[in-house]
Amino acid sequence: MRLATAANEVYKASLAVSELLGCKQCGGGRGQDEELGIRIPRTLGHGPSRFIPEKEILQVGSEDTQMHALFADSFAALGRLDNITLVMVFHPQYLESFLKTQHYLLQMDGPLPLHFRHYIGIMAAARHQCSYLVNLHVNDFLHVGGDPKWLNGLENAPQKLQNLGELNKVLAHRPWLITKEHIEGLLKAEEHSWSLAELVHAVVLLTHYHSLASFTFGCGISPEIHCDGGHTFRPPSVSNYCICDITNGNHSVDEMQVNSAGNVSVSDSFFEVEALMEKMRQLQECRDEEEASQEEMASRFEIEKRESMFVFSSDDEEVTPARDVSRHFEDTSYGYKDFSRHGMHVPTFRVQDYCWEDHGYSLVNRLYPDVGQLIDEKFHIAYNLTYNTMAMHKDVDTSMLRRAIWNYIHCMFGIRYDDYDYGEINQLLDRSFKVYIKTVVCTPEKVTKRMYDSFWRQFKHSEKVHVNLLLIEARMQAELLYALRAITRYMT
Amino acid sequence: MEKMSRVTTALGGSALTGRTMHCHLDAPANAISVCRDAAQVVVAGRSIFKIYAIEEEQFVEKLNLRVGRKPSLNLSCADVVWHQMDENLLATAATNGVVVTWNLGRPSRNKQDQLFTEHKRTVNKVCFHPTEAHVLLSGSQDGFMKCFDLRRKDSVSTFSGQSESVRDVQFSIRDYFTFASTFENGNVQLWDIRRPDRCERMFTAHNGPVFCCDWHPEDRGWLATGGRDKMVKVWDMTTHRAKEVHCVQTIASVARVKWRPECRHHLATCSMMVDHNIYVWDVRRPFVPAAMFEEHRDVTTGIAWRHPHDSSFLLSGSKDSTLCQHLFRDASQPVERANPEGLCYGLFGDLAFAAKESLVATESGRKPYAGDRRHPIFFKRKLDPAEPFAGLASSALSIFEMEPGSGSMSWFVDTAERYALAGRPLAELCDHNAKVARELGRNQVAQTWTMLRIIYCSPGLVPTTNLNHSMGKGSSCGLPLMNSFNLKDMAPGLGSETRLDRSKGDTRSDTVLLDSSATLITNEDNEETEGSDVPADYLLGDVEGEEDELYLLDPEHAHSEEPEYVLPQEAFPLRHEIVDTPPGPEHLQDKADSPHVSGSEADAASLAPVDSSFSLISVSHALYDSRLPPDFFSALVCDMLRFYAEQGDVQMAVSVLIVLGERVRKDIDEQTQEHWYTSYIDLLQRFCLWNVSNQVVKLSTSRAVSCLNQASTTLHVNCSHCKRPMSSRGWVCDRCHRCASMCAVCHHVVKGLFVWCQGCSHGGHLQHIMKWLEGSSHCPAGCGHLCEYS
């Protein structure tokens, strides 16, 4: 039932190494556990995220009242306080909206039965081999009374869900290929057909979990303690070493690494921030002066679109999906393909012709009431969230930078804003950042700690999480736009 | 476009003529605007920018303003407007944030005049000043509005809405300096063109973006706004605070709104998504559009009235790449299609009936139903007769009260509560239900249950007399012919078959006369036969000591509490079996009294399975042979269920369906079953029989039904300390920050099932309380109360 993951192996390896470290602290209390014969699981990870040192992350118990309320909300809704929540709480305003939406999608009134919702979540997360989310939802799925047989693979699920597999696949990797035929195929499948409301619910769930998988990998979320890979029963007494020391040890190692890396490049990265701010300032001022021609603007978009495909990490080694996770989806080879490759020509999606605010919202809210509103709020918060800070600088207007990130992601999906100069992206986003964005959005399973560390070195972790929020919301909106446009076309 | 009409309107010398027509454009339109002379229209879109002349029969392309080799984003228009003073002047708003003006008077092919590239984001709207020749206003996604003087190179003033984006800007037609702007966050602002620093007034008009607004052409203070929240609101701006005077609820988000010229209360709307029609509303009648244009196949993006003083021509452009001229005369009027009569039952059986006044007036001489016990009350409402739709709006409402008692549905409630549907062997269930039905005086139903028991349970177990009896009764449950066959079989050597035949013949002749008044005669006849005829007596004697029950054979007629399905008697082909049974005197009474056919009488009357005679013979055989698979009857049982359902007794149909389960389910199609279930559940819920309805939902096998009790399963709780609702979670109160539900045994917070004593209101974990009360009878909280756990 539990799913083993490839990532486990990494943990075990790290455990073995850290076992060499000594422990002098928690000798007591151990005997009691043994007496009772209860095996107490211990966390294996190093806090909620593998990328962010534990001490950077807010400790449960030290939160302020607003955060406390949020934690309580999250706990009430899910019966747990998961690592995603613990990382997202860097941005409580967003977290609140996120949790509200997720709660509504999974637990409140909706056209789909509860176990279907979790199963769709599993399907979506499995597309990105996100064992973290798969494990969580396997538990939830069984908890709401889902049939364990379904978990043996999509072919064991009802035909209706199997039909959704194709949409899931296209939506996750190449949403621009969605046509109204896809929609028609789902809606007109005799006794296995979906209703429009169910389909919209499913689409929202799929996009939600695709982007959440991006977040999980983008922030290196650690497995939950109750899931595989999140704990060990290895009694700490065996070699007199203790987990708390292991994490401590790791901490110091982390810090050392960070410091050494920081020392080398501290001046570099300082200038990085300065340079970025300077560029923003220039763009702000020069915008009126240099007037790019129309053709120029159009070609800039095309260039950016084309270039985005070369932006891939060099260590592009093939990650074979863990077998257990892969059984939830078919066609493992299907991945993100840049549309400009293979001479495939896909017309550019113009946001002025079909945008979330005007069209997408109306459609979702019509077919799945209230959800349009919730998602709309979430997009708004993610897009407008700012503390007017950049690394060590305060009172900075970051709207230009945020817009560049947002539009860059949409650009990767072929969505174009007529009123945006795509030259700005090149100015503001450097290569390592682009690599990170591209990997998180398109192939999240390939994100490494090195990628996370190598962009924006002087920025705070909370700012990097902020970037991740932008990434996942922009991705979700892009996928939704394509799917909803196809539904609209089907309806007209 | 089946009916085309030509309209000529005289407008101060010039005349507008035309018909409903459309022309194909090369690309989807985003906006249209009409020239002052009402003879030309400009269409703008992402890849189209053309001027068409409106001729009598067709649109003629006059000018293509998209010139140049390469398509430019400056020509990708989000909006277009034609100056109402100068017929050579146009302005467009481009999706890349550029505002372009065009001068048709230019001699060259390129008519582009000026280019303002001040906005950073898409410009959503441009608007010319209604009287000033050189003033242009624009509103953009970047949240700014800019006012341009066309004699200068850049904007004169910039207005900041302090918000994300401006969706619409409109100069007031009457107030020279005022303009209104609408925003994505739901606000509407009023500005004075001379004061760019701050807005004069701001109010929240809609929930979500306000896509459009339009000033009333005559009424100075009225502003109509339309938003994503599917509403059109009309605001009175003359008062100190903007007051909402009218509100129209549409079915989709409102993309454009335009007041209809010369009609004070009319406005046209089109929607952003899903709905492709254009509606003209009378704002005083917000529920039904006054007119509807259905020509477009995709969303309508631009609408314009052709002439500011002509109310019959509407032009529209759409995403389906067509330009249309709609004639008001050709519009479909949903009002006409609407059912002018409304009928509704009240909770206590009262009936309200509304109809067009004229309709009621013609029939006022006749009482609609004999059942009304009170004179109907009439409410009349008249609208201003000057208004075009006033005639339709006057209606009469009458209310009929039920006679106390006659509408009582207590039998339904009792039956629902007492029926056993599951959890026991089939035979017991049937017996139980039969007993319940009999106690409630519903003998036909009781009979049916007994029948079912016989069919589906081993016949050997049934005592013979009982069997006979049951069969005899069975006839009344709607298998009319069985009676006679059965009798023949049961009473061999009776030697009175001729007698029987005779009496049958008698009754048949009676049947011809049968109607409510004739019943009396028939009954009397029957009484005679009963008195004089030996066979009848003999028959009764055959089933000894059961006279009372045999009595039940005629069932149905006797019970006036039966639901009054007000159905005209003539609708049913009455059968002789009705009178084949000896009626009781009180029954006679009832019959004479009631002008209605009771539902159950109708039951007996209308049941006429064509093949029944065949199967009935078989039935009697079967009983002798004692062996026939229950499957054999399933067609019959299904017919019976359908019959009950058709008679409105869906309770019976569903109960039998549940009790018999697999035995009959496969023979009735899913949809019918689902329909029965939902109707029954609906009925149960109207009677607040929540438990029963839930049981039915649970026992149903139809997927659509059984998922009913999985929706809306939220339970709202209040905090036990501060009595406020606990919004977010069930055990911690947001306000007093205390845990509301502590277990009295383990003193921990209860997060799952919480059980509490209704006497002392202490409680806790279900397990803990159960355990505690096994050992002690006092409350675990120590309050001294003797708690009981059941």
Side-chain angles (χ1 to χ4, degrees):
Chain A
M1 169 187 118
R2 297 272 158 77
L3 303 169
T5 66
N8 290 350
E9 309 310 317
V10 181
Y11 288 120
K12 279 169 192 156
S14 77
L15 181 76
V17 171
S18 23
E19 267 172 354
L20 297 172
L21 298 163
C23 169
K24 293 180 189 80
Q25 289 171 358
C26 40
R30 215 181 282 144
Q32 212 180 356
D33 303 342
E34 282 162 8
E35 267 170 37
L36 289 171
I38 299 166
R39 299 206 303 160
I40 296 177
R42 290 160 194 284
T43 43
L44 253 182
H46 331 289
S49 164
R50 282 177 284 135
F51 296 169
I52 307 166
E54 196 172 3
K55 64 181 168 59
E56 293 272 338
I57 292 172
L58 184 89
Q59 299 296 307
V60 180
S62 64
E63 68 272 8
D64 61 16
T65 45
Q66 188 201 359
M67 290 179 186
H68 182 81
L70 277 174
F71 280 163
D73 271 339
S74 162
F75 191 74
L78 301 164
R80 61 172 177 255
L81 196 53
D82 55 19
N83 288 339
I84 290 184
T85 312
L86 287 174
V87 173
M88 271 189 193
V89 83
F90 273 123
H91 306 283
Q93 195 195 356
Y94 173 83
L95 178 62
E96 184 177 6
S97 159
F98 173 84
L99 289 174
K100 211 160 85 185
T101 312
Q102 182 165 278
H103 179 62
Y104 196 93
L105 285 178
L106 290 178
Q107 277 143 322
M108 301 299 274
D109 289 356
L112 288 174
L114 292 181
H115 60 288
F116 264 56
R117 305 182 193 188
H118 288 291
Y119 196 79
I120 291 172
I122 296 172
M123 281 169 71
R127 269 306 337 160
H128 286 306
Q129 297 138 46
C130 181
S131 52
Y132 173 83
L133 289 173
V134 169
N135 282 337
L136 274 187
H137 285 280
V138 162
N139 288 343
D140 289 344
F141 172 74
L142 295 172
H143 189 72
V144 297
D147 183 351
K149 267 190 235 127
W150 297 10
L151 296 174
N152 294 331
L154 193 56
E155 65 275 6
N156 298 315
Q159 185 63 38
K160 191 168 166 179
L161 282 169
Q162 289 185 35
N163 292 348
L164 196 65
E166 175 72 13
L167 184 70
N168 180 24
K169 186 173 80 177
V170 181
L171 202 55
H173 304 295
R174 303 171 204 174
W176 52 90
L177 295 181
I178 293 175
T179 57
K180 72 174 187 189
E181 282 71 33
H182 283 115
I183 306 299
E184 200 170 344
L186 286 169
L187 295 177
K188 290 187 177 159
E190 273 135 39
E191 75 266 39
H192 304 300
S193 55
W194 292 75
S195 73
L196 264 175
E198 286 173 332
L199 183 66
V200 167
H201 193 170
V203 162
V204 173
L205 278 170
L206 286 175
T207 53
H208 179 82
Y209 279 100
H210 289 154
S211 47
L212 201 54
S214 284
F215 183 82
T216 310
F217 285 110
C219 293
I221 301 294
S222 309
E224 297 293 333
I225 184 168
H226 64 274
C227 294
D228 264 9
H231 62 268
T232 177
F233 288 118
R234 196 178 304 216
S237 56
V238 168
S239 47
N240 266 336
Y241 299 133
C242 174
I243 292 298
C244 65
D245 283 280
I246 292 163
T247 46
N248 284 348
N250 273 2
H251 263 186
S252 56
V253 171
D254 275 351
E255 273 164 54
M256 270 161 56
Q257 283 171 345
V258 168
N259 285 343
S260 61
N263 281 335
V264 176
S265 60
V266 72
S267 48
D268 282 3
S269 52
F270 178 73
F271 288 125
E272 233 173 48
V273 182
E274 291 296 303
L276 184 55
M277 289 189 61
E278 184 54 38
K279 271 180 194 157
M280 281 169 64
R281 210 167 300 131
Q282 274 175 10
L283 281 172
Q284 202 90 49
E285 287 158 5
C286 306
R287 185 180 271 160
D288 306 329
E289 293 165 26
E290 55 117 19
E291 220 7 91
S293 72
Q294 293 311 311
E295 298 81 55
E296 171 98 30
M297 298 287 263
S299 67
R300 276 182 194 170
F301 174 75
E302 292 303 325
I303 289 167
E304 204 56 53
K305 204 164 84 174
R306 208 172 320 123
E307 272 185 356
S308 70
M309 85 185 195
F310 299 115
V311 180
F312 250 131
S313 54
S314 43
D315 50 341
D316 200 350
E317 66 204 53
E318 209 46 52
V319 182
T320 44
R323 217 168 47 83
D324 282 330
V325 176
S326 67
R327 69 183 177 207
H328 291 298
F329 62 95
E330 313 151 310
D331 196 1
T332 47
S333 59
Y334 196 93
Y336 175 85
K337 283 275 159 17
D338 304 273
F339 31 57
S340 26
R341 242 184 239 177
H342 314 302
M344 238 193 310
H345 184 72
V346 179
T348 303
F349 187 114
R350 306 262 186 177
V351 115
Q352 267 75 11
D353 292 344
Y354 197 99
C355 66
W356 165 256
E357 284 80 12
D358 295 0
H359 306 95
Y361 171 91
S362 304
L363 185 65
V364 172
N365 235 21
R366 184 186 182 89
L367 296 171
Y368 186 12
D370 298 339
V371 162
Q373 189 64 40
L374 287 170
I375 303 178
D376 192 44
E377 268 168 33
K378 190 156 69 90
F379 285 149
H380 259 258
I381 291 171
Y383 191 83
N384 294 323
L385 186 70
T386 182
Y387 307 97
N388 293 318
T389 57
M390 265 177 80
M392 51 295 227
H393 300 276
K394 287 204 172 89
D395 299 323
V396 191
D397 179 11
T398 56
S399 59
M400 186 182 265
L401 189 58
R402 283 182 282 126
R403 194 168 166 219
I405 297 170
W406 187 276
N407 288 358
Y408 179 62
I409 295 155
H410 278 189
C411 169
M412 285 191 297
F413 287 104
I415 298 173
R416 181 176 175 188
Y417 291 80
D418 281 346
D419 52 0
Y420 189 68
D421 174 7
Y422 284 83
E424 278 184 29
I425 289 179
N426 254 347
Q427 307 259 347
L428 296 174
L429 315 182
D430 60 20
R431 197 181 148 76
S432 58
F433 189 30
K434 277 186 182 173
V435 168
Y436 179 74
I437 293 179
K438 171 98 181 183
T439 319
V440 169
V441 171
C442 300
T443 51
E445 59 277 10
K446 291 180 184 159
V447 176
T448 61
K449 185 161 179 3
R450 212 177 68 200
M451 282 183 207
Y452 177 84
D453 288 334
S454 64
F455 84 95
W456 278 14
R457 273 167 291 187
Q458 282 297 302
F459 283 76
K460 295 187 206 102
H461 286 293
S462 72
E463 284 168 322
K464 291 193 173 185
V465 173
H466 185 176
V467 167
N468 267 290
L469 299 182
L470 272 176
L471 300 188
I472 65 169
E473 290 305 325
R475 174 177 185 192
M476 181 168 175
Q477 194 178 81
E479 285 186 13
L480 267 181
L481 281 177
Y482 276 111
L484 295 175
R485 187 177 66 164
I487 294 176
T488 309
R489 284 187 176 164
Y490 168 79
M491 288 167 74
T492 49
Chain B
M1 244 151 289
E2 50 297 327
K3 48 166 188 175
M4 302 272 184
S5 58
R6 220 151 292 202
V7 163
T8 312
T9 326
L11 285 163
S14 71
L16 276 187
T17 58
R19 62 187 187 98
T20 295
M21 59 188 179
H22 68 97
C23 88
H24 188 77
L25 311 171
D26 310 323
N30 276 346
I32 62 169
S33 186
V34 194
C35 178
R36 176 173 68 150
D37 62 7
Q40 294 174 82
V41 58
V42 58
V43 183
R46 172 170 290 284
S47 47
I48 183 173
F49 189 24
K50 284 182 180 172
I51 291 177
Y52 285 87
I54 311 165
E55 297 189 350
E56 201 163 309
E57 293 290 329
Q58 61 192 340
F59 291 104
V60 176
E61 184 179 328
K62 233 184 123 191
L63 190 61
N64 186 357
L65 289 157
R66 265 179 95 85
V67 289
R69 288 154 289 115
K70 287 207 168 174
S72 158
L73 272 184
N74 289 349
L75 291 171
S76 160
C77 305
D79 191 31
V80 64
V81 63
W82 205 319
H83 203 295
Q84 290 305 303
M85 303 296 292
D86 180 353
E87 50 194 52
N88 278 331
L89 195 56
L90 286 126
T92 58
T95 51
N96 64 350
V98 178
V99 175
V100 194
T101 60
W102 307 78
N103 186 353
L104 300 181
R106 277 168 74 118
S108 70
R109 243 182 96 232
N110 189 352
K111 309 285 185 193
Q112 187 171 321
D113 195 18
Q114 263 178 301
L115 211 64
F116 301 99
T117 52
E118 293 188 31
H119 284 294
K120 292 194 189 74
R121 303 284 304 268
T122 299
V123 177
N124 286 321
K125 200 79 186 177
V126 280
C127 176
F128 278 115
H129 195 278
T131 49
E132 205 51 54
H134 301 287
V135 178
L136 175 69
L137 191 66
S138 68
S140 156
Q141 196 78 13
D142 60 12
F144 292 101
M145 293 144 278
K146 285 178 190 283
C147 181
F148 303 97
D149 186 325
L150 301 185
R151 290 161 295 196
R152 290 169 58 171
K153 273 209 165 329
D154 21 63
S155 61
V156 185
S157 45
T158 301
F159 310 86
S160 168
Q162 309 289 341
S163 161
E164 277 163 63
S165 54
V166 186
R167 298 308 297 243
D168 200 356
V169 282
Q170 290 291 339
F171 273 112
S172 165
I173 293 163
R174 293 305 173 96
D175 292 324
Y176 186 87
F177 294 111
T178 309
F179 72 89
S181 57
T182 71
F183 292 85
E184 201 148 287
N185 59 6
N187 286 345
V188 171
Q189 295 180 351
L190 279 196
W191 290 83
D192 187 316
I193 198 105
R194 296 160 297 186
R195 292 192 55 190
D197 52 328
R198 52 182 293 273
C199 64
E200 299 285 295
R201 186 190 277 186
M202 179 166 95
F203 61 94
T204 303
H206 290 266
N207 180 16
V210 190
F211 287 138
C212 52
C213 66
D214 195 32
W215 290 95
H216 197 282
E218 293 143 42
D219 213 316
R220 176 179 295 247
W222 278 17
L223 178 74
T225 59
R228 193 171 72 178
D229 57 359
K230 307 179 191 173
M231 306 240 234
V232 179
K233 290 180 181 174
V234 180
W235 304 88
D236 185 355
M237 313 291 273
T238 48
T239 50
H240 178 61
R241 281 189 60 183
K243 204 177 81 191
E244 185 186 322
V245 280
H246 293 289
C247 178
V248 176
Q249 180 90 46
T250 65
I251 58 166
S253 50
V254 183
R256 312 266 175 189
V257 55
K258 284 270 179 283
W259 287 102
R260 185 175 175 205
E262 313 282 305
C263 293
R264 204 180 126 87
H265 289 105
H266 284 200
L267 49 79
T269 67
C270 65
S271 76
M272 188 75 100
M273 274 293 284
V274 191
D275 184 22
H276 310 155
N277 300 341
I278 303 165
Y279 301 101
V280 178
W281 301 87
D282 185 322
V283 289
R284 292 160 307 172
R285 180 190 256 193
F287 307 108
V288 191
M292 190 161 94
F293 301 102
E294 301 164 299
E295 277 83 2
H296 289 299
R297 293 284 145 257
D298 202 339
V299 282
T300 310
T301 46
I303 48 175
W305 293 96
R306 192 168 153 191
H307 192 278
H309 294 290
D310 181 276
S311 63
S312 46
F313 293 91
L314 179 71
L315 297 164
S316 70
S318 157
K319 276 246 164 84
D320 65 1
S321 307
T322 52
L323 174 67
C324 269
Q325 172 169 275
H326 310 278
L327 224 60
F328 209 79
R329 187 180 293 176
D330 292 340
S332 70
Q333 303 197 344
V335 177
E336 307 229 297
R337 270 184 276 151
N339 189 355
E341 285 91 35
L343 184 71
C344 187
Y345 261 117
L347 183 62
F348 301 105
D350 295 349
L351 184 75
F353 175 69
K356 260 159 81 176
E357 207 181 338
S358 53
L359 234 152
V360 176
T362 53
E363 292 180 14
S364 58
R366 201 169 85 195
K367 271 192 173 181
Y369 300 115
D372 61 322
R373 306 287 169 188
R374 210 178 76 176
H375 281 296
I377 327 158
F378 285 94
F379 296 99
K380 287 187 189 175
R381 193 166 68 97
K382 271 216 160 84
L383 281 186
D384 183 4
E387 286 301 322
F389 300 108
L392 286 178
S394 86
S395 56
L397 175 71
S398 20
I399 295 177
F400 305 95
E401 261 182 0
M402 277 311 256
E403 188 192 23
S406 65
S408 158
M409 290 281 279
S410 62
W411 63 272
F412 178 87
V413 178
D414 278 353
T415 315
E417 278 172 344
R418 291 171 55 191
Y419 265 2
L421 298 178
R424 283 193 261 171
L426 179 65
E428 271 181 48
L429 289 178
C430 289
D431 280 347
H432 175 89
N433 293 346
K435 200 171 134 240
V436 169
R438 198 168 303 129
E439 277 164 18
L440 291 168
R442 307 176 68 220
N443 298 304
Q444 187 191 8
V445 173
Q447 213 48 257
T448 311
W449 283 112
T450 320
M451 287 275 293
L452 288 172
R453 182 203 145 109
I454 293 162
I455 293 173
Y456 286 100
C457 300
S458 164
L461 297 174
V462 188
T464 11
T465 42
N466 196 4
L467 190 85
N468 296 346
H469 177 53
S470 304
M471 284 318 295
K473 282 186 196 166
S475 69
S476 70
C477 81
L479 310 173
L481 285 173
M482 186 189 273
N483 202 7
S484 47
F485 281 109
N486 212 4
L487 286 172
K488 283 178 200 165
D489 288 338
M490 285 297 159
L494 196 62
S496 55
E497 281 176 26
T498 40
R499 243 15 218 133
L500 205 71
D501 280 345
R502 196 189 67 76
S503 83
K504 258 164 86 185
D506 280 353
T507 48
R508 248 187 219 119
S509 61
D510 287 336
T511 321
V512 184
L513 298 170
L514 191 73
D515 63 32
S516 61
S517 60
T519 322
L520 202 76
I521 308 163
T522 326
N523 288 339
E524 277 166 5
D525 273 2
N526 250 18
E527 241 168 12
E528 274 174 18
T529 26
E530 198 188 325
S532 59
D533 274 16
V534 189
D537 278 342
Y538 187 84
L539 222 175
L540 289 168
D542 193 29
V543 255
E544 259 181 346
E546 303 227 19
E547 279 166 13
D548 284 347
E549 290 203 41
L550 196 62
Y551 220 49
L552 308 173
L553 281 180
D554 71 83
E556 320 69 92
H557 327 78
H559 306 285
S560 57
E561 318 74 11
E562 288 281 342
E564 301 265 356
Y565 298 106
V566 192
L567 297 164
Q569 196 168 2
E570 304 85 64
F572 299 97
L574 295 180
R575 309 233 142 204
H576 62 278
E577 283 74 23
I578 275 189
V579 291
D580 205 14
T581 52
E586 84 279 355
H587 159 231
L588 214 78
Q589 199 72 20
D590 275 339
K591 274 237 123 160
D593 260 6
S594 166
H596 293 281
V597 184
S598 73
S600 42
E601 179 180 16
D603 287 358
S606 74
L607 184 87
V610 184
D611 57 343
S612 66
S613 55
F614 165 70
S615 22
L616 288 166
I617 298 168
S618 316
V619 168
S620 45
H621 275 296
L623 290 166
Y624 274 103
D625 298 348
S626 287
R627 277 288 166 266
L628 231 159
D631 273 355
F632 184 80
F633 300 99
S634 54
L636 206 63
V637 173
C638 292
D639 279 346
M640 185 266 294
L641 291 186
R642 279 196 198 97
F643 159 72
Y644 272 114
E646 246 157 62
Q647 292 313 307
D649 189 0
V650 76
Q651 179 177 48
M652 185 64 188
V654 172
S655 304
V656 172
L657 197 61
I658 292 175
V659 167
L660 293 182
E662 285 302 334
R663 296 176 187 90
V664 286
R665 193 179 300 137
K666 55 186 183 301
D667 298 314
I668 301 171
D669 68 296
E670 283 270 317
Q671 244 178 337
T672 317
Q673 289 190 35
E674 200 180 306
H675 184 67
W676 292 351
Y677 273 119
T678 43
S679 331
Y680 186 38
I681 289 163
D682 188 46
L683 268 175
L684 287 172
Q685 292 181 342
R686 272 164 191 256
F687 283 99
C688 300
L689 296 163
W690 311 113
N691 289 339
V692 184
S693 99
N694 198 42
Q695 195 196 8
V696 170
V697 171
K698 223 168 116 186
L699 290 172
S700 81
T701 45
S702 158
R703 223 164 47 82
V705 175
S706 53
C707 71
L708 277 180
N709 60 2
Q710 281 163 27
S712 301
T713 50
T714 320
L715 187 70
H716 298 280
V717 275
N718 285 11
C719 173
S720 59
H721 299 294
C722 64
K723 308 283 184 282
R724 302 260 184 75
M726 298 203 282
S727 50
S728 51
R729 38 198 175 244
W731 54 88
V732 182
C733 178
D734 281 332
R735 294 194 178 72
C736 56
H737 299 288
R738 278 205 277 181
C739 291
S741 45
M742 308 285 281
C743 175
V745 180
C746 69
H747 298 285
H748 281 97
V749 181
V750 186
K751 287 168 193 162
L753 286 175
F754 184 81
V755 60
W756 72 93
C757 169
Q758 292 181 336
C760 65
S761 78
H762 289 112
H765 293 104
L766 179 64
Q767 298 286 328
H768 293 168
I769 297 292
M770 275 166 74
K771 215 166 170 186
W772 177 271
L773 289 174
E774 274 171 23
S776 161
S777 57
H778 285 274
C779 175
C783 67
H785 187 260
L786 286 167
C787 298
E788 249 180 84
Y789 178 82
S790 47

